[in-house]
Amino acid sequence: MPFSFADPSAPSRPLHVLRPDEVAAFSDNEGRLWASWLAATGFKAQPGELCLLPGTDGGIAAAVAGIGTVAAGRRQRFILAKVVDRLPAGAWRLSGALSPAERTECALGWLLSGYRFDRYRPDRKTSERAELICPAGLDAAALLAMAEGEALTRDLINTPAQDMGPAELEAAARDLGTRCGASGAVTAGDERLSANFPMIHAVGRASPRAPRLIDLQWGSTGPKLTLVGKGVCFDTGGLNIKPSSGMALMKKDMGGAATVLGLARMIMALHLPLRLRVLIPAGENVISGNALKPKDILTSRKGLTVEVTATDAEGRLVLADALALACEDPPDVLVSMATLTGAARVAVGPDLAPYYADDAGIVAALEAGAAAGFDPVWRMPFHTPYEHVIEPGIADLDNAPGFGFAGSITAALFLRRFVSVPRYVHFDIYGHTPSDMPARPKGGVGQGARALLGALPGMFGWKDR
């Protein structure tokens, strides 16, 4: 889905963005021609309120949009996106006492609100949309890259498993690599996969759609960033089968893979000075006669043995083999992203992306990147005193300890056992918006990618773009 800003030389109309305490001053000054009109319509600049302003020729000369109070902005992101689809088509330019951060939020929300997932409704009619002239001083290339990367992530998550299996996920990664000049390799087949990535093979072997490890590499100079994304294209829970309510959204269980591919697209589109590697363990967790069984003990790529207490805790198994591979060619920063635990959703809900990191510099960079990208994250602890919980005695590790508490933390601690580089970040994301929100329609969504993109200068000591 292409995204664009309007040609700055095109004829345009002003969109005056106002807070409630700015309406009176606007009516007394640049909006004085419409003061009576605004009073008659009762415009109060509440969040998402829009009033079109007539011209002397009977057409639309301008518009005013409300974004509410500063407190309203803290309650909801991308408020201006609420009005975009109600504006007449054509070019618009922002006007108002907006800070650079507010202009950035308005512009990014405008772009993201243009996302549509119409793959299964090809004849759906869409009207021409209003376009924004990129406000002066903003990085248009970065904003467009973020929108395009987010759209890729949403498309991948929204596609049902029938059309987004391991082979299709591989094809999406290869297509991205071809368009951006990256090289790719895939490890597949029972013999090769079981020998090199035994836990990826064990999780995916029951499916007729073969599991695989996807490896995408780009860039030849600069620090090395490796992204690992969980690519479980559908998760029935295996033999510890999920109830129907728990299976309803499992097409999104490859949301980690979708998010790292979206982030990779942003990085490559912006030609950032680093060496990027993307690793995706892809497969399906389904049921057949050769499915992984509870209490099986697996020997991982790293050599650690894992007792499979629950076949529905498969994500950490496939990630573990990929993380071990990542550390064999040590990156400067290693990131894993996965729709891993329900415990994370209970802890922070669907809107926040919880992450784990011990490196203080990475934490500071992520917090700054999250604010700059309007992509909220929340730090969780690698609480080492819980390590004993994931040690079953019969094997080195337990993939689903019966602790009853801290499920996201114990999953993160499990993954950390397979990491041998000091700068590691793990995201336990949801990848889904439960209901329509400004610039985020119900369905698949990226989480943490823009925060990571904005964090890269701080992580690697670059100057901002």
Side-chain angles (χ1 to χ4, degrees), residues 144-181:
L144 290 168
M146 285 189 278
E148 294 279 4
E150 173 66 16
L152 172 61
T153 295
R154 293 181 186 182
D155 280 350
L156 293 173
I157 296 174
N158 285 330
T159 302
Q162 70 192 60
D163 294 323
M164 187 51 64
E168 290 81 7
L169 188 55
E170 175 191 333
R174 287 189 182 275
D175 178 65
L176 177 63
T178 299
R179 286 186 286 119
C180 296

PDB file of all heavy atoms in Angstrom, residues 144-181:
ATOM      1  N   LEU A 144       7.379   8.399   6.110  1.00  0.00           N
ATOM      2  CA  LEU A 144       6.875   7.488   5.088  1.00  0.00           C
ATOM      3  C   LEU A 144       7.400   6.072   5.313  1.00  0.00           C
ATOM      4  O   LEU A 144       6.657   5.095   5.138  1.00  0.00           O
ATOM      5  CB  LEU A 144       7.284   7.994   3.704  1.00  0.00           C
ATOM      6  CG  LEU A 144       6.564   9.271   3.236  1.00  0.00           C
ATOM      7  CD1 LEU A 144       7.241   9.838   1.998  1.00  0.00           C
ATOM      8  CD2 LEU A 144       5.094   8.989   2.950  1.00  0.00           C
ATOM      9  N   ALA A 145       8.662   5.949   5.718  1.00  0.00           N
ATOM     10  CA  ALA A 145       9.218   4.624   5.989  1.00  0.00           C
ATOM     11  C   ALA A 145       8.484   3.949   7.136  1.00  0.00           C
ATOM     12  O   ALA A 145       8.213   2.739   7.094  1.00  0.00           O
ATOM     13  CB  ALA A 145      10.708   4.741   6.300  1.00  0.00           C
ATOM     14  N   MET A 146       8.152   4.715   8.179  1.00  0.00           N
ATOM     15  CA  MET A 146       7.417   4.139   9.304  1.00  0.00           C
ATOM     16  C   MET A 146       6.038   3.674   8.874  1.00  0.00           C
ATOM     17  O   MET A 146       5.574   2.595   9.269  1.00  0.00           O
ATOM     18  CB  MET A 146       7.324   5.147  10.444  1.00  0.00           C
ATOM     19  CG  MET A 146       8.623   5.320  11.205  1.00  0.00           C
ATOM     20  SD  MET A 146       8.460   6.302  12.714  1.00  0.00           S
ATOM     21  CE  MET A 146       8.522   7.963  12.043  1.00  0.00           C
ATOM     22  N   ALA A 147       5.359   4.460   8.047  1.00  0.00           N
ATOM     23  CA  ALA A 147       4.024   4.079   7.591  1.00  0.00           C
ATOM     24  C   ALA A 147       4.076   2.845   6.706  1.00  0.00           C
ATOM     25  O   ALA A 147       3.250   1.926   6.839  1.00  0.00           O
ATOM     26  CB  ALA A 147       3.380   5.246   6.849  1.00  0.00           C
ATOM     27  N   GLU A 148       5.042   2.798   5.777  1.00  0.00           N
ATOM     28  CA  GLU A 148       5.158   1.644   4.890  1.00  0.00           C
ATOM     29  C   GLU A 148       5.529   0.379   5.668  1.00  0.00           C
ATOM     30  O   GLU A 148       4.999  -0.708   5.397  1.00  0.00           O
ATOM     31  CB  GLU A 148       6.215   1.918   3.816  1.00  0.00           C
ATOM     32  CG  GLU A 148       5.846   3.024   2.834  1.00  0.00           C
ATOM     33  CD  GLU A 148       4.912   2.568   1.732  1.00  0.00           C
ATOM     34  OE1 GLU A 148       4.475   1.406   1.771  1.00  0.00           O
ATOM     35  OE2 GLU A 148       4.626   3.371   0.830  1.00  0.00           O
ATOM     36  N   GLY A 149       6.450   0.511   6.624  1.00  0.00           N
ATOM     37  CA  GLY A 149       6.816  -0.643   7.425  1.00  0.00           C
ATOM     38  C   GLY A 149       5.665  -1.146   8.268  1.00  0.00           C
ATOM     39  O   GLY A 149       5.442  -2.362   8.390  1.00  0.00           O
ATOM     40  N   GLU A 150       4.909  -0.220   8.838  1.00  0.00           N
ATOM     41  CA  GLU A 150       3.741  -0.609   9.630  1.00  0.00           C
ATOM     42  C   GLU A 150       2.697  -1.294   8.763  1.00  0.00           C
ATOM     43  O   GLU A 150       2.064  -2.272   9.183  1.00  0.00           O
ATOM     44  CB  GLU A 150       3.147   0.621  10.310  1.00  0.00           C
ATOM     45  CG  GLU A 150       1.835   0.399  11.022  1.00  0.00           C
ATOM     46  CD  GLU A 150       1.927  -0.511  12.230  1.00  0.00           C
ATOM     47  OE1 GLU A 150       3.039  -0.763  12.725  1.00  0.00           O
ATOM     48  OE2 GLU A 150       0.866  -0.980  12.700  1.00  0.00           O
ATOM     49  N   ALA A 151       2.503  -0.805   7.543  1.00  0.00           N
ATOM     50  CA  ALA A 151       1.525  -1.417   6.647  1.00  0.00           C
ATOM     51  C   ALA A 151       1.921  -2.853   6.307  1.00  0.00           C
ATOM     52  O   ALA A 151       1.065  -3.746   6.238  1.00  0.00           O
ATOM     53  CB  ALA A 151       1.387  -0.590   5.374  1.00  0.00           C
ATOM     54  N   LEU A 152       3.214  -3.093   6.090  1.00  0.00           N
ATOM     55  CA  LEU A 152       3.672  -4.456   5.828  1.00  0.00           C
ATOM     56  C   LEU A 152       3.357  -5.358   7.014  1.00  0.00           C
ATOM     57  O   LEU A 152       2.834  -6.474   6.851  1.00  0.00           O
ATOM     58  CB  LEU A 152       5.174  -4.448   5.545  1.00  0.00           C
ATOM     59  CG  LEU A 152       5.842  -5.821   5.436  1.00  0.00           C
ATOM     60  CD1 LEU A 152       5.252  -6.630   4.291  1.00  0.00           C
ATOM     61  CD2 LEU A 152       7.352  -5.678   5.272  1.00  0.00           C
ATOM     62  N   THR A 153       3.658  -4.886   8.215  1.00  0.00           N
ATOM     63  CA  THR A 153       3.375  -5.673   9.412  1.00  0.00           C
ATOM     64  C   THR A 153       1.886  -5.984   9.523  1.00  0.00           C
ATOM     65  O   THR A 153       1.491  -7.140   9.777  1.00  0.00           O
ATOM     66  CB  THR A 153       3.853  -4.910  10.663  1.00  0.00           C
ATOM     67  OG1 THR A 153       5.275  -4.786  10.628  1.00  0.00           O
ATOM     68  CG2 THR A 153       3.438  -5.622  11.945  1.00  0.00           C
ATOM     69  N   ARG A 154       1.054  -4.975   9.338  1.00  0.00           N
ATOM     70  CA  ARG A 154      -0.393  -5.196   9.447  1.00  0.00           C
ATOM     71  C   ARG A 154      -0.890  -6.178   8.396  1.00  0.00           C
ATOM     72  O   ARG A 154      -1.724  -7.052   8.692  1.00  0.00           O
ATOM     73  CB  ARG A 154      -1.127  -3.860   9.307  1.00  0.00           C
ATOM     74  CG  ARG A 154      -0.891  -2.891  10.446  1.00  0.00           C
ATOM     75  CD  ARG A 154      -1.675  -1.603  10.227  1.00  0.00           C
ATOM     76  NE  ARG A 154      -1.362  -0.590  11.233  1.00  0.00           N
ATOM     77  CZ  ARG A 154      -1.938   0.605  11.289  1.00  0.00           C
ATOM     78  NH1 ARG A 154      -2.819   0.957  10.381  1.00  0.00           N
ATOM     79  NH2 ARG A 154      -1.599   1.465  12.242  1.00  0.00           N
ATOM     80  N   ASP A 155      -0.420  -6.035   7.157  1.00  0.00           N
ATOM     81  CA  ASP A 155      -0.850  -6.945   6.097  1.00  0.00           C
ATOM     82  C   ASP A 155      -0.510  -8.392   6.438  1.00  0.00           C
ATOM     83  O   ASP A 155      -1.327  -9.300   6.245  1.00  0.00           O
ATOM     84  CB  ASP A 155      -0.183  -6.570   4.773  1.00  0.00           C
ATOM     85  CG  ASP A 155      -0.857  -5.402   4.069  1.00  0.00           C
ATOM     86  OD1 ASP A 155      -1.951  -4.995   4.493  1.00  0.00           O
ATOM     87  OD2 ASP A 155      -0.269  -4.893   3.094  1.00  0.00           O
ATOM     88  N   LEU A 156       0.697  -8.621   6.926  1.00  0.00           N
ATOM     89  CA  LEU A 156       1.118  -9.987   7.244  1.00  0.00           C
ATOM     90  C   LEU A 156       0.279 -10.572   8.377  1.00  0.00           C
ATOM     91  O   LEU A 156      -0.144 -11.735   8.317  1.00  0.00           O
ATOM     92  CB  LEU A 156       2.598 -10.002   7.618  1.00  0.00           C
ATOM     93  CG  LEU A 156       3.587  -9.656   6.492  1.00  0.00           C
ATOM     94  CD1 LEU A 156       5.001  -9.550   7.046  1.00  0.00           C
ATOM     95  CD2 LEU A 156       3.535 -10.700   5.374  1.00  0.00           C
ATOM     96  N   ILE A 157       0.042  -9.791   9.416  1.00  0.00           N
ATOM     97  CA  ILE A 157      -0.743 -10.294  10.548  1.00  0.00           C
ATOM     98  C   ILE A 157      -2.200 -10.505  10.158  1.00  0.00           C
ATOM     99  O   ILE A 157      -2.841 -11.483  10.570  1.00  0.00           O
ATOM    100  CB  ILE A 157      -0.646  -9.330  11.749  1.00  0.00           C
ATOM    101  CG1 ILE A 157       0.792  -9.259  12.259  1.00  0.00           C
ATOM    102  CG2 ILE A 157      -1.583  -9.772  12.878  1.00  0.00           C
ATOM    103  CD1 ILE A 157       1.007  -8.215  13.356  1.00  0.00           C
ATOM    104  N   ASN A 158      -2.753  -9.606   9.360  1.00  0.00           N
ATOM    105  CA  ASN A 158      -4.168  -9.691   9.004  1.00  0.00           C
ATOM    106  C   ASN A 158      -4.476 -10.829   8.047  1.00  0.00           C
ATOM    107  O   ASN A 158      -5.624 -11.285   7.967  1.00  0.00           O
ATOM    108  CB  ASN A 158      -4.628  -8.364   8.381  1.00  0.00           C
ATOM    109  CG  ASN A 158      -4.814  -7.269   9.408  1.00  0.00           C
ATOM    110  OD1 ASN A 158      -5.141  -7.540  10.559  1.00  0.00           O
ATOM    111  ND2 ASN A 158      -4.602  -6.031   9.008  1.00  0.00           N
ATOM    112  N   THR A 159      -3.491 -11.301   7.312  1.00  0.00           N
ATOM    113  CA  THR A 159      -3.723 -12.384   6.360  1.00  0.00           C
ATOM    114  C   THR A 159      -3.970 -13.692   7.111  1.00  0.00           C
ATOM    115  O   THR A 159      -3.178 -14.077   7.966  1.00  0.00           O
ATOM    116  CB  THR A 159      -2.512 -12.549   5.430  1.00  0.00           C
ATOM    117  OG1 THR A 159      -2.275 -11.315   4.743  1.00  0.00           O
ATOM    118  CG2 THR A 159      -2.759 -13.645   4.406  1.00  0.00           C
ATOM    119  N   PRO A 160      -5.071 -14.375   6.817  1.00  0.00           N
ATOM    120  CA  PRO A 160      -5.366 -15.618   7.555  1.00  0.00           C
ATOM    121  C   PRO A 160      -4.346 -16.704   7.256  1.00  0.00           C
ATOM    122  O   PRO A 160      -3.651 -16.696   6.227  1.00  0.00           O
ATOM    123  CB  PRO A 160      -6.763 -15.997   7.053  1.00  0.00           C
ATOM    124  CG  PRO A 160      -6.921 -15.292   5.755  1.00  0.00           C
ATOM    125  CD  PRO A 160      -6.134 -14.034   5.863  1.00  0.00           C
ATOM    126  N   ALA A 161      -4.277 -17.671   8.153  1.00  0.00           N
ATOM    127  CA  ALA A 161      -3.250 -18.707   8.074  1.00  0.00           C
ATOM    128  C   ALA A 161      -3.339 -19.507   6.789  1.00  0.00           C
ATOM    129  O   ALA A 161      -2.316 -20.019   6.312  1.00  0.00           O
ATOM    130  CB  ALA A 161      -3.353 -19.630   9.289  1.00  0.00           C
ATOM    131  N   GLN A 162      -4.510 -19.630   6.198  1.00  0.00           N
ATOM    132  CA  GLN A 162      -4.623 -20.383   4.946  1.00  0.00           C
ATOM    133  C   GLN A 162      -3.731 -19.794   3.860  1.00  0.00           C
ATOM    134  O   GLN A 162      -3.258 -20.501   2.967  1.00  0.00           O
ATOM    135  CB  GLN A 162      -6.072 -20.408   4.466  1.00  0.00           C
ATOM    136  CG  GLN A 162      -6.587 -19.039   3.975  1.00  0.00           C
ATOM    137  CD  GLN A 162      -8.073 -19.001   3.766  1.00  0.00           C
ATOM    138  OE1 GLN A 162      -8.847 -19.216   4.698  1.00  0.00           O
ATOM    139  NE2 GLN A 162      -8.490 -18.717   2.548  1.00  0.00           N
ATOM    140  N   ASP A 163      -3.505 -18.479   3.927  1.00  0.00           N
ATOM    141  CA  ASP A 163      -2.687 -17.780   2.939  1.00  0.00           C
ATOM    142  C   ASP A 163      -1.398 -17.216   3.527  1.00  0.00           C
ATOM    143  O   ASP A 163      -0.676 -16.479   2.846  1.00  0.00           O
ATOM    144  CB  ASP A 163      -3.487 -16.637   2.304  1.00  0.00           C
ATOM    145  CG  ASP A 163      -4.669 -17.132   1.485  1.00  0.00           C
ATOM    146  OD1 ASP A 163      -4.532 -18.177   0.830  1.00  0.00           O
ATOM    147  OD2 ASP A 163      -5.732 -16.483   1.519  1.00  0.00           O
ATOM    148  N   MET A 164      -1.119 -17.523   4.785  1.00  0.00           N
ATOM    149  CA  MET A 164       0.106 -17.037   5.424  1.00  0.00           C
ATOM    150  C   MET A 164       0.698 -18.151   6.272  1.00  0.00           C
ATOM    151  O   MET A 164       0.688 -18.106   7.512  1.00  0.00           O
ATOM    152  CB  MET A 164      -0.186 -15.787   6.265  1.00  0.00           C
ATOM    153  CG  MET A 164       1.061 -15.099   6.849  1.00  0.00           C
ATOM    154  SD  MET A 164       2.361 -14.745   5.664  1.00  0.00           S
ATOM    155  CE  MET A 164       1.550 -13.588   4.583  1.00  0.00           C
ATOM    156  N   GLY A 165       1.174 -19.174   5.583  1.00  0.00           N
ATOM    157  CA  GLY A 165       1.884 -20.256   6.246  1.00  0.00           C
ATOM    158  C   GLY A 165       3.380 -20.006   6.187  1.00  0.00           C
ATOM    159  O   GLY A 165       3.842 -18.941   5.763  1.00  0.00           O
ATOM    160  N   PRO A 166       4.170 -20.977   6.597  1.00  0.00           N
ATOM    161  CA  PRO A 166       5.622 -20.795   6.585  1.00  0.00           C
ATOM    162  C   PRO A 166       6.181 -20.436   5.209  1.00  0.00           C
ATOM    163  O   PRO A 166       7.069 -19.590   5.095  1.00  0.00           O
ATOM    164  CB  PRO A 166       6.142 -22.152   7.074  1.00  0.00           C
ATOM    165  CG  PRO A 166       5.012 -22.722   7.881  1.00  0.00           C
ATOM    166  CD  PRO A 166       3.768 -22.253   7.216  1.00  0.00           C
ATOM    167  N   ALA A 167       5.667 -21.079   4.150  1.00  0.00           N
ATOM    168  CA  ALA A 167       6.168 -20.780   2.806  1.00  0.00           C
ATOM    169  C   ALA A 167       5.816 -19.353   2.390  1.00  0.00           C
ATOM    170  O   ALA A 167       6.632 -18.658   1.770  1.00  0.00           O
ATOM    171  CB  ALA A 167       5.610 -21.782   1.800  1.00  0.00           C
ATOM    172  N   GLU A 168       4.611 -18.923   2.727  1.00  0.00           N
ATOM    173  CA  GLU A 168       4.197 -17.563   2.367  1.00  0.00           C
ATOM    174  C   GLU A 168       4.954 -16.524   3.177  1.00  0.00           C
ATOM    175  O   GLU A 168       5.287 -15.446   2.667  1.00  0.00           O
ATOM    176  CB  GLU A 168       2.691 -17.406   2.568  1.00  0.00           C
ATOM    177  CG  GLU A 168       1.830 -18.173   1.574  1.00  0.00           C
ATOM    178  CD  GLU A 168       1.657 -19.649   1.920  1.00  0.00           C
ATOM    179  OE1 GLU A 168       2.100 -20.078   3.024  1.00  0.00           O
ATOM    180  OE2 GLU A 168       1.079 -20.385   1.107  1.00  0.00           O
ATOM    181  N   LEU A 169       5.253 -16.841   4.434  1.00  0.00           N
ATOM    182  CA  LEU A 169       6.057 -15.918   5.234  1.00  0.00           C
ATOM    183  C   LEU A 169       7.468 -15.826   4.663  1.00  0.00           C
ATOM    184  O   LEU A 169       8.052 -14.735   4.585  1.00  0.00           O
ATOM    185  CB  LEU A 169       6.082 -16.389   6.690  1.00  0.00           C
ATOM    186  CG  LEU A 169       6.709 -15.448   7.717  1.00  0.00           C
ATOM    187  CD1 LEU A 169       6.074 -14.074   7.694  1.00  0.00           C
ATOM    188  CD2 LEU A 169       6.604 -16.058   9.118  1.00  0.00           C
ATOM    189  N   GLU A 170       8.009 -16.949   4.242  1.00  0.00           N
ATOM    190  CA  GLU A 170       9.311 -16.934   3.569  1.00  0.00           C
ATOM    191  C   GLU A 170       9.253 -16.077   2.305  1.00  0.00           C
ATOM    192  O   GLU A 170      10.159 -15.271   2.032  1.00  0.00           O
ATOM    193  CB  GLU A 170       9.734 -18.354   3.209  1.00  0.00           C
ATOM    194  CG  GLU A 170      11.026 -18.408   2.406  1.00  0.00           C
ATOM    195  CD  GLU A 170      11.309 -19.790   1.831  1.00  0.00           C
ATOM    196  OE1 GLU A 170      10.857 -20.796   2.402  1.00  0.00           O
ATOM    197  OE2 GLU A 170      12.004 -19.844   0.789  1.00  0.00           O
ATOM    198  N   ALA A 171       8.180 -16.244   1.517  1.00  0.00           N
ATOM    199  CA  ALA A 171       8.049 -15.468   0.284  1.00  0.00           C
ATOM    200  C   ALA A 171       7.987 -13.976   0.577  1.00  0.00           C
ATOM    201  O   ALA A 171       8.563 -13.158  -0.163  1.00  0.00           O
ATOM    202  CB  ALA A 171       6.801 -15.911  -0.479  1.00  0.00           C
ATOM    203  N   ALA A 172       7.296 -13.601   1.654  1.00  0.00           N
ATOM    204  CA  ALA A 172       7.219 -12.183   2.022  1.00  0.00           C
ATOM    205  C   ALA A 172       8.593 -11.646   2.396  1.00  0.00           C
ATOM    206  O   ALA A 172       8.958 -10.523   2.027  1.00  0.00           O
ATOM    207  CB  ALA A 172       6.241 -12.003   3.179  1.00  0.00           C
ATOM    208  N   ALA A 173       9.377 -12.443   3.125  1.00  0.00           N
ATOM    209  CA  ALA A 173      10.721 -12.020   3.497  1.00  0.00           C
ATOM    210  C   ALA A 173      11.620 -11.920   2.270  1.00  0.00           C
ATOM    211  O   ALA A 173      12.396 -10.960   2.124  1.00  0.00           O
ATOM    212  CB  ALA A 173      11.313 -13.002   4.512  1.00  0.00           C
ATOM    213  N   ARG A 174      11.521 -12.905   1.367  1.00  0.00           N
ATOM    214  CA  ARG A 174      12.324 -12.859   0.154  1.00  0.00           C
ATOM    215  C   ARG A 174      11.951 -11.656  -0.715  1.00  0.00           C
ATOM    216  O   ARG A 174      12.829 -11.002  -1.310  1.00  0.00           O
ATOM    217  CB  ARG A 174      12.156 -14.165  -0.632  1.00  0.00           C
ATOM    218  CG  ARG A 174      12.857 -15.371   0.003  1.00  0.00           C
ATOM    219  CD  ARG A 174      12.821 -16.553  -0.961  1.00  0.00           C
ATOM    220  NE  ARG A 174      13.429 -17.744  -0.402  1.00  0.00           N
ATOM    221  CZ  ARG A 174      14.732 -18.020  -0.428  1.00  0.00           C
ATOM    222  NH1 ARG A 174      15.567 -17.125  -0.968  1.00  0.00           N
ATOM    223  NH2 ARG A 174      15.203 -19.138   0.075  1.00  0.00           N
ATOM    224  N   ASP A 175      10.651 -11.380  -0.812  1.00  0.00           N
ATOM    225  CA  ASP A 175      10.209 -10.234  -1.611  1.00  0.00           C
ATOM    226  C   ASP A 175      10.752  -8.932  -1.040  1.00  0.00           C
ATOM    227  O   ASP A 175      11.232  -8.063  -1.785  1.00  0.00           O
ATOM    228  CB  ASP A 175       8.679 -10.200  -1.651  1.00  0.00           C
ATOM    229  CG  ASP A 175       8.149  -9.006  -2.434  1.00  0.00           C
ATOM    230  OD1 ASP A 175       8.385  -8.931  -3.647  1.00  0.00           O
ATOM    231  OD2 ASP A 175       7.516  -8.128  -1.809  1.00  0.00           O
ATOM    232  N   LEU A 176      10.696  -8.799   0.281  1.00  0.00           N
ATOM    233  CA  LEU A 176      11.261  -7.619   0.917  1.00  0.00           C
ATOM    234  C   LEU A 176      12.752  -7.522   0.631  1.00  0.00           C
ATOM    235  O   LEU A 176      13.275  -6.443   0.301  1.00  0.00           O
ATOM    236  CB  LEU A 176      10.999  -7.664   2.424  1.00  0.00           C
ATOM    237  CG  LEU A 176      11.600  -6.520   3.244  1.00  0.00           C
ATOM    238  CD1 LEU A 176      10.996  -5.187   2.839  1.00  0.00           C
ATOM    239  CD2 LEU A 176      11.394  -6.770   4.737  1.00  0.00           C
ATOM    240  N   GLY A 177      13.448  -8.633   0.738  1.00  0.00           N
ATOM    241  CA  GLY A 177      14.880  -8.635   0.480  1.00  0.00           C
ATOM    242  C   GLY A 177      15.203  -8.240  -0.947  1.00  0.00           C
ATOM    243  O   GLY A 177      16.148  -7.471  -1.207  1.00  0.00           O
ATOM    244  N   THR A 178      14.434  -8.765  -1.895  1.00  0.00           N
ATOM    245  CA  THR A 178      14.663  -8.436  -3.298  1.00  0.00           C
ATOM    246  C   THR A 178      14.474  -6.955  -3.555  1.00  0.00           C
ATOM    247  O   THR A 178      15.278  -6.309  -4.247  1.00  0.00           O
ATOM    248  CB  THR A 178      13.711  -9.249  -4.189  1.00  0.00           C
ATOM    249  OG1 THR A 178      13.980 -10.646  -4.006  1.00  0.00           O
ATOM    250  CG2 THR A 178      13.880  -8.888  -5.653  1.00  0.00           C
ATOM    251  N   ARG A 179      13.415  -6.381  -2.985  1.00  0.00           N
ATOM    252  CA  ARG A 179      13.121  -4.962  -3.213  1.00  0.00           C
ATOM    253  C   ARG A 179      14.134  -4.051  -2.534  1.00  0.00           C
ATOM    254  O   ARG A 179      14.368  -2.942  -3.006  1.00  0.00           O
ATOM    255  CB  ARG A 179      11.707  -4.638  -2.733  1.00  0.00           C
ATOM    256  CG  ARG A 179      10.621  -5.179  -3.650  1.00  0.00           C
ATOM    257  CD  ARG A 179       9.238  -4.723  -3.248  1.00  0.00           C
ATOM    258  NE  ARG A 179       8.759  -5.403  -2.057  1.00  0.00           N
ATOM    259  CZ  ARG A 179       8.443  -4.797  -0.931  1.00  0.00           C
ATOM    260  NH1 ARG A 179       8.587  -3.490  -0.808  1.00  0.00           N
ATOM    261  NH2 ARG A 179       8.000  -5.487   0.097  1.00  0.00           N
ATOM    262  N   CYS A 180      14.742  -4.513  -1.446  1.00  0.00           N
ATOM    263  CA  CYS A 180      15.627  -3.644  -0.675  1.00  0.00           C
ATOM    264  C   CYS A 180      17.106  -4.012  -0.802  1.00  0.00           C
ATOM    265  O   CYS A 180      17.951  -3.399  -0.148  1.00  0.00           O
ATOM    266  CB  CYS A 180      15.217  -3.666   0.801  1.00  0.00           C
ATOM    267  SG  CYS A 180      13.576  -2.983   1.112  1.00  0.00           S
ATOM    268  N   GLY A 181      17.409  -5.012  -1.613  1.00  0.00           N
ATOM    269  CA  GLY A 181      18.803  -5.361  -1.822  1.00  0.00           C
ATOM    270  C   GLY A 181      19.415  -6.212  -0.729  1.00  0.00           C
ATOM    271  O   GLY A 181      20.629  -6.167  -0.508  1.00  0.00           O
TER     272      GLY A 181
END
